Amino acid sequence: MSAEVIEAGAPKVDDDFSVWEENADTVMMFMRLQTQWRVIDGGFIGLDYQSAAFLFRIHSVANEAEMMNELQAMEMAALRVLNKRKE
């Protein structure tokens, strides 16, 4: 856990969250891809799927199609948040 500095009067944000066991592998893969976003004109367009394929190989993902479907669901949710920041 890292230390954080909170400005006086600023509300504390709780960044802790739980992950259901059946989603743990997908969440971990999504976190491994955190620096692999494709960006154009400051807007996020999606994850780099070649990087995902590489990570699937080195982490021995058994069902790559299922992992990709789950990652794409997370990707779509993340894109709505990431691109909203640009507005």
Side-chain angles (χ1 to χ4, degrees):
M1 187 60 84
S2 62
E4 64 181 285
V5 176
I6 299 175
E7 304 265 336
K12 177 159 178 13
V13 176
D14 185 2
D15 290 333
D16 292 341
F17 59 93
S18 298
V19 175
W20 291 344
E21 186 175 342
E22 60 266 24
N23 297 327
D25 290 340
T26 304
V27 171
M28 289 303 301
M29 186 60 67
F30 188 78
M31 297 303 293
R32 288 180 184 117
L33 288 163
Q34 66 184 322
T35 61
Q36 300 304 313
W37 287 95
R38 294 194 178 258
V39 179
I40 187 166
D41 293 327
F44 291 83
I45 58 172
L47 289 169
D48 181 344
Y49 292 163
Q50 290 178 337
S51 296
F54 170 75
L55 287 175
F56 290 178
R57 266 194 325 276
I58 67 171
H59 290 284
S60 303
V61 172
N63 189 335
E64 294 181 6
E66 181 180 344
M67 177 66 75
M68 182 57 77
N69 286 337
E70 293 169 357
L71 280 174
Q72 286 178 319
M74 292 183 72
E75 175 188 37
M76 290 299 110
L79 283 170
R80 285 190 295 272
V81 173
L82 292 169
N83 286 322
K84 191 172 190 174
R85 290 181 185 172
K86 184 182 176 191
E87 295 173 0

